Amino acid sequence: MSRKRIRATVHGRVQRVAFRECTRQEASRLGVSGWVRNQSDGTVLVLCEGEASRVDVLLAWLSIGSPYAMVTRVDWHEEEPLGETGPLVIRYGA
């Protein structure tokens, strides 16, 4: 099983639309670890790690987001996997 870790910045109307909670739920469904938090510039930052194919599915989901979100773009880059496990959590504060 190949692991993958990404850091993604989600742009658009992604705050105050349940984006973080929906991201947490989707990551839980996929078995992906990490965290999600709002940024002071109005974007949402996601750091996630897990089986590569599942991280890819979450990355594709981020381009759509929660039902009330309007994602305009997702910038992301891959990082070295650290072997983190556990649920994806919501972090507070920018």
Side-chain angles (χ1 to χ4, degrees):
M1 170 177 84
S2 172
R3 291 191 65 80
K4 187 175 195 175
R5 180 182 181 95
I6 61 161
R7 183 177 300 261
T9 302
V10 186
H11 300 261
R13 191 181 72 204
V14 292
Q15 290 190 11
R16 298 161 92 54
V17 292
F19 193 91
R20 291 175 301 167
E21 176 59 23
C22 289
T23 301
R24 187 196 64 74
Q25 290 174 8
E26 184 66 9
S28 177
R29 185 183 75 76
L30 294 167
V32 173
S33 300
W35 51 263
V36 57
R37 75 171 179 221
N38 287 344
Q39 299 289 91
S40 59
D41 64 359
T43 62
V44 171
L45 183 61
V46 181
L47 178 76
C48 63
E49 179 173 339
E51 185 180 327
S53 62
R54 293 174 184 254
V55 170
D56 289 340
V57 170
L58 183 60
L59 183 58
W61 181 89
L62 289 174
S63 68
I64 299 166
S66 67
Y68 301 107
M70 186 180 299
V71 177
T72 57
R73 145 175 135 243
V74 178
D75 300 325
W76 65 277
H77 66 272
E78 199 165 334
E79 298 183 352
E80 188 67 31
L82 301 177
E84 292 182 0
T85 60
L88 185 134
V89 297
I90 296 173
R91 288 192 176 173
Y92 297 92

